[in-house]
Amino acid sequence: MLPDEGRMPEHEDARDATQNVYRLSGPRIDDYPRCLTERLGLWEQQRPEQIFLAQRGEDRRGWLSLTYAQALPLVRRLAQALLDQGLTPERPLMVLSGNDLHHALLACAAMHVGIPYVPVSPSYSLLSSDFAKLRHVRDLVTPGMIFVDDEARFATALAAIADEAVIVSSRPAGRALAFDALAETPVVGDGVERAHARVTPDTIAKLLFTSGSTGMPKAVINTQRMLCSNQEMLLLRLPFLRDNVPVLVDWLPWHHTFGGNTILGMTLHNGGSLYIDDGNPTPEGVQRTVENLLEVSPTFYCNVPKGFEVLVDHLNGNERLRRAFFKQLKMMHFGGAVLPTHVGDALDALSRCEKGEATPMLTGLGSTEACLAFCTDQPERVAGLIGAPVPGLDVKLVRAGNKWEARLKGLNITPGYWRDPERTAEAFDEEGYLCTGDAMRLIDPDHPDKGLLFDGRLSENFKLLTGTWVNVGTLRLGLIEEFAPVAQDVVLVGEGQDYLTGLVVLNAAGCVQQLGGRAEKPLEELAHDEALRAFLAERLAAHRRGKSSSTRVERLLVLDTPLSLDKGEVTDKGSVNQRLVREGYASRVDALYATPPPAEVITPREDEPPRA
């Protein structure tokens, strides 16, 4: 921290009007690869027979794997095919399907010769009813080629957006070219090598789309410099990666920065092995994850909190899985939300039982515009902790009302949004710092090295009728923990009112756990379950005691219908848009403030009478 601009005050009433900015920075990053795929050549020479990528075969009885010796020739042939099809930054490669070997090879081939690669959330094609976001993406990036794993499965979406683009599929069913045919393209002359030589750190590697929670998604330019420097930043923060070749079993989607930049990039940069997990954090999907972890023991395991939560149940009851999971595990990492205390405690206990010590659990914060920007290097159990800025990143905290906005500058920061100069200009301040809209604060202003806490989105917060600000991010995280395991999220309501209420988004698996059942029940049935409502009433009463009006929720209402992806109420990552849910459930909001409250509203179960 640079002391000339003052310390952040610990309390609002300790502010000094002259102390509106302070800064954090770490060691510089001087050396990083020119291009992410340069490392393919290195590992082809040093580790030719090591598995680079693997995925389950269709019968799930074994793994289809690709060594480093096999990968680079395939990438070159595919790169030749992409050049032959006339792909350029103006006509890039767009991928609509999820993580698999063919997806990864095409991505590497495109980046190898300077063609942007555009991974798109499969939900835009498979879960949407109007394809509005998919059409927006197509119009913005004007793809020259679109890849899908299964043409028949994506047929409706392709009919809505394909136009003149070349379609390629692992399983063609009509119009599409076969991936295998592209992979057999002979490399002619030195065109591929010349195109690769022209790739610079400023070359666009990929376009990653934001979640679109506040409008249509934006295409964030990710350069080679961003991806390559960020991997070096992580090596400085997590030096164990230098001495332990990463073995990863991972499902995190490649159309997000966590899976596509951090995990896939970590594998390629460090010569690791990535086993593509075809599971996910659902009761059905975790069964596949368990099968995969029984066969492959990771050295570094990353997941979202929900993923760890569903995995813990299986680790508790399966000694063989526990032994395989912890066998060579050096570290775990979560991101995207707060890790419930009971989940962290359970993982510690299971690790100690299996190998005599707790496996470190790290956390961090990344974004589409900044890759992984903050990361812990020691396990800490502090809700909202995101750690310190990664080496090479400069952070400027700027006073914004009663909060501090984090603004970022560094090699890992995007130069802007594709074909959107207005939004690009709006995203940076006069010093060239990216304005994140994220509020952060130091755990200890006297010791900035202890790290930062995420303090919510600036746009989330609102005032009660009394003029008191409500810190939505911090309160929401606390409520999820207090209502664990049944709440996936809590949408806070109260702007223009004199007290706070909340709409509860249920965690179906957690509800079943709380009710002692085995099978999931329909959401509508869970929302009206008397035992579940009694549990929430008791937790609400405990939550309210001793709190002020801006940190105390008075009433709850459980949502009995799923949130809408098309409407933007929830993203494909499971993030809930607080504002859109409040607007979309206006009648439920009215019920929360009705006098007397209707039967579906949950009030505290305690001696103190509920608020009228």
Side-chain angles (χ1 to χ4, degrees), residues 76-153:
R76 286 176 174 148
R77 292 199 294 271
L78 288 166
Q80 180 71 66
L82 300 185
L83 292 173
D84 290 348
Q85 292 289 343
L87 269 61
T88 67
E90 303 299 320
R91 300 182 69 249
L93 167 71
M94 189 161 80
V95 177
L96 302 187
S97 50
N99 305 3
D100 68 17
L101 288 178
H102 292 176
H103 179 161
L105 286 168
L106 279 168
C108 287
M111 291 188 288
H112 192 69
V113 290
I115 297 167
Y117 141 66
V118 188
V120 179
S121 169
S123 64
Y124 291 2
S125 298
L126 302 177
L127 299 181
S128 176
S129 60
D130 61 8
F131 302 118
K133 288 184 177 179
L134 187 61
R135 288 191 177 94
H136 166 75
V137 169
R138 184 273 316 273
D139 292 343
L140 185 60
V141 305
T142 58
M145 179 181 289
I146 299 173
F147 171 77
V148 294
D149 55 7
D150 186 333
E151 184 181 4
R153 191 162 67 108

Side-chain angles (χ1 to χ4, degrees), residues 199-385:
V199 175
T200 73
D202 290 317
T203 299
I204 299 173
K206 61 174 73 171
L207 299 175
L208 279 185
F209 277 85
T210 59
S211 63
S213 58
T214 56
M216 282 298 174
K218 301 185 291 288
V220 180
I221 297 170
N222 279 217
T223 63
Q224 292 284 353
R225 177 180 283 108
M226 288 176 64
L227 306 189
C228 296
S229 68
N230 197 232
Q231 290 300 325
E232 284 296 319
M233 293 170 179
L234 295 182
L235 276 179
L236 285 178
R237 180 55 50 83
L238 306 175
F240 85 96
L241 290 170
R242 295 188 188 277
D243 304 319
N244 298 269
V245 175
V247 177
L248 303 157
V249 181
D250 194 86
W251 68 272
L252 292 162
W254 294 342
H255 60 273
H256 293 310
T257 195
F258 195 177
N261 288 346
T262 302
I263 301 301
L264 189 55
M266 182 184 296
T267 306
L268 189 49
H269 190 77
N270 298 288
S273 299
L274 172 58
Y275 290 80
I276 300 169
D277 181 10
D278 56 349
N280 55 58
T282 64
E284 299 80 17
V286 73
Q287 298 290 346
R288 293 191 168 210
T289 294
V290 166
E291 292 174 19
N292 296 334
L293 289 171
L294 282 167
E295 296 186 20
V296 183
S297 299
T299 61
F300 187 34
Y301 189 73
C302 300
N303 214 325
V304 294
K306 176 64 178 171
F308 280 111
E309 187 172 8
V310 295
L311 183 60
V312 158
D313 291 339
H314 291 268
L315 289 168
N316 269 318
N318 189 328
E319 183 179 352
R320 182 171 159 238
L321 173 65
R322 191 162 61 245
R323 186 166 57 249
F325 182 68
F326 289 107
K327 180 179 179 181
Q328 56 180 1
L329 191 64
K330 307 296 183 187
M331 195 166 288
M332 295 180 285
H333 179 100
F334 73 90
V338 66
L339 184 74
T341 299
H342 70 278
V343 175
D345 290 344
L347 287 166
D348 282 352
L350 289 163
S351 180
R352 289 192 182 99
C353 176
E354 192 57 41
K355 61 181 190 179
E357 61 181 0
T359 302
M361 172 68 85
L362 305 184
T363 185
L365 179 72
S367 74
T368 317
E369 291 89 350
C371 303
L372 185 60
F374 299 85
C375 186
T376 56
D377 58 7
Q378 297 293 326
E380 296 283 353
R381 289 289 173 77
V382 180
L385 179 67

